[in-house]
Amino acid sequence: MSSGYPTAASSSTKGSTPSVKPQPTNSSATSAYSSQLKDGNLTSYYECAKKPGDSGLVKPLTSGFDPEADATQLKNCLKSSFLNETVIVNILPHRSNAQRQKIRLMYKTMYGKDLLQDLRDRLTGDFESVTVGLLMKPAEYDAYLIHRAIQGLGTDEDVLVEILCTRTNAQIQELGHQYRELYKCNIEQEIKDDTSGHFRRMLISLANGARQEDQGVNAQKAEDDAKKLYKAGAARLGTDESTFNSVFVSQSFEQLRAVFAAYQRLYKKDMEKVIKSEMSGDLEKGMKAIVRFTLDKHSYFANVLYKAMKGLGTDEKSLIRTLVSRSEIDLEQINRSFSNIKGESKPLSHWIKKETSGPFRDMLIHIIGGGH
């Protein structure tokens, strides 16, 4: 079965494979990457994205964790003619990602096979997608999502926007490294090949992972930047998108909040409405995503989940992507924020039970803590 998941021999299949060139970096981003993700520390990939008060819903098993026993159970499950998905559901979402990597290593040590590949061979559909997502290293998973968004017919711009607009410098640096390792090309070249115009410029800027995360909030600079944005948009015919890009992608999220507040104070208009009136298409989506994530990251992801399940049909890819990628960062706060969405009184668990079914539903419920 061809799943599109990365393997050691994975490479780009769209056109000719571009030569591998180092992605541009700056010293502050590289320093953050080196200090926060030294030696590929899996916990740090999540920790560097946390703010005070953030908490995931998937926790390490603190008592009785035994990767050999877990590997044995999974092997017995996968070799059985009758696949009991409950075994998988009772293990993977109840271990941290770092613990899952130990299970994966033990599985290969004991049986000479890759657990990830064995799962792909036995599982199908959405249950396969969420299971494999949980078993991947977090940067590997982000790299896979970007690759999947770019390859094939068309480009999934929403995925590119979500990942590149919401990850920290350290995360972007690490997923870029994983991308080169897995697909033998770099993200910047892929973006150049598949996007265009100001949207492409925004994504390339974001893919550098060079936002000024260590800058303190400067009220005077925030006011100056608010005036720059006004002159680049509402005060002229047409829009100077490059000015918006330079502010939105370079400043820390804390500084951006101050810029948006200064704009509201000076010109009596919130930044999302400014973007709507000045831009369109994918660039508008990207800039809006930065605004929404900057103002309230938990609400941003809660709305991604809500839109994935509201209306006709269910966007399982968005559902899986959000729950897996935020499971150890701030899913507790996202879960709480979901119930605060305007006009929505039902909890996230209600929607998951309503919109999904079978082992896939069980896995999602366990991820958000419903199976503990």
Side-chain angles (χ1 to χ4, degrees):
M1 160 170 57
S2 176
S3 63
Y5 294 116
T7 64
S10 290
S11 63
S12 176
T13 56
K14 181 178 287 188
S16 60
T17 302
S19 59
V20 182
K21 298 179 181 178
Q23 285 186 301
T25 61
N26 76 0
S27 58
S28 62
T30 303
S31 174
Y33 165 67
S34 298
S35 63
Q36 295 184 54
L37 290 171
K38 185 178 180 181
D39 300 322
N41 187 301
L42 297 171
T43 303
S44 292
Y45 193 86
Y46 291 131
E47 291 300 323
C48 70
K50 284 187 174 183
K51 297 298 181 183
D54 283 349
S55 178
L57 287 174
V58 172
K59 313 281 187 182
L61 185 64
T62 55
S63 177
F65 173 57
D66 185 342
E68 180 179 349
D70 288 344
T72 301
Q73 285 192 66
L74 290 168
K75 180 62 175 177
N76 291 337
C77 169
L78 292 172
K79 74 178 183 181
S80 172
S81 58
F82 172 75
L83 181 67
N84 184 1
E85 294 93 341
T86 302
V87 173
I88 300 170
V89 171
N90 285 339
I91 293 176
L92 295 187
H94 298 283
R95 311 290 188 269
S96 68
N97 191 277
Q99 289 177 326
R100 288 179 219 126
Q101 301 314 310
K102 292 179 180 179
I103 296 169
R104 186 175 173 183
L105 178 60
M106 181 58 68
Y107 189 96
K108 193 166 190 177
T109 301
M110 295 170 69
Y111 305 112
K113 300 184 72 177
D114 183 10
L115 175 58
L116 189 66
Q117 184 62 52
D118 280 359
L119 286 166
R120 285 158 43 187
D121 289 343
R122 279 304 307 268
L123 307 181
T124 59
D126 297 322
F127 185 66
E128 177 198 357
S129 296
V130 67
T131 300
V132 173
L134 286 171
L135 199 59
M136 286 181 182
K137 292 178 291 186
E140 178 186 11
Y141 185 55
D142 275 351
Y144 158 69
L145 291 172
I146 289 178
H147 185 72
R148 185 177 69 179
I150 291 173
Q151 297 303 308
L153 296 175
T155 301
D156 190 339
E157 292 85 359
D158 290 345
V159 173
L160 299 180
V161 164
E162 180 182 311
I163 294 177
L164 294 176
C165 288
T166 66
R167 298 319 190 242
T168 67
N169 290 345
Q171 288 178 308
I172 289 173
Q173 293 289 326
E174 175 62 10
L175 76 87
H177 169 73
Q178 287 289 319
Y179 201 96
R180 291 190 297 273
E181 288 289 312
L182 293 167
Y183 305 113
K184 311 309 176 189
C185 54
N186 68 50
I187 292 175
E188 182 174 325
Q189 187 59 53
E190 297 271 71
I191 290 170
K192 286 179 180 178
D193 291 343
D194 269 74
T195 59
S196 61
H198 290 286
F199 180 61
R200 174 169 62 190
R201 295 177 193 175
M202 184 193 76
L203 293 181
I204 290 173
S205 297
L206 290 166
N208 280 315
R211 191 180 291 279
Q212 300 178 75
E213 293 176 341
D214 56 351
Q215 71 179 149
V217 175
N218 184 321
Q220 184 58 56
K221 187 176 189 310
E223 186 169 313
D224 292 343
D225 282 345
K227 291 176 181 178
K228 282 170 58 177
L229 293 174
Y230 181 75
K231 290 177 182 177
R236 55 172 282 170
L237 288 175
T239 304
D240 178 4
E241 292 91 347
S242 294
T243 296
F244 279 84
N245 189 82
S246 67
V247 174
F248 275 45
V249 177
S250 70
Q251 303 302 292
S252 70
F253 291 118
E254 292 76 14
Q255 181 67 15
L256 278 181
R257 278 196 290 274
V259 173
F260 300 160
Y263 195 102
Q264 174 77 46
R265 185 178 69 255
L266 290 169
Y267 306 112
K268 313 304 179 189
K269 193 171 184 179
D270 72 66
M271 190 52 64
E272 188 169 337
K273 290 180 180 177
V274 173
I275 297 301
K276 184 176 181 179
S277 62
E278 296 294 332
M279 298 173 192
S280 62
D282 294 326
L283 181 63
E284 178 187 353
K285 286 182 185 179
M287 292 291 182
K288 278 184 176 179
I290 293 175
V291 172
R292 291 169 179 172
F293 181 80
T294 297
L295 295 176
D296 189 338
K297 66 172 186 171
H298 304 135
S299 175
Y300 170 83
F301 283 112
N303 276 281
V304 171
L305 292 170
Y306 184 67
K307 290 176 182 177
M309 295 183 283
K310 183 70 173 177
L312 293 175
T314 302
D315 181 358
E316 290 87 0
K317 288 183 179 179
S318 292
L319 195 56
I320 294 166
R321 182 179 68 247
T322 304
L323 293 180
V324 171
S325 65
R326 307 309 293 189
S327 61
E328 294 183 49
I329 299 173
D330 52 4
L331 190 53
E332 182 175 341
Q333 288 69 39
I334 293 168
N335 189 18
R336 192 178 304 136
S337 184
F338 188 93
S339 297
N340 294 328
I341 293 174
K342 186 176 180 180
E344 182 50 52
S345 59
K346 301 293 185 182
L348 177 57
S349 58
H350 167 85
W351 277 90
I352 290 174
K353 290 175 182 177
K354 175 175 173 285
E355 296 294 324
T356 62
S357 61
F360 175 55
R361 176 191 59 201
D362 297 339
M363 184 72 90
L364 299 185
I365 291 298
H366 279 246
I367 290 173
I368 66 170
H372 290 278

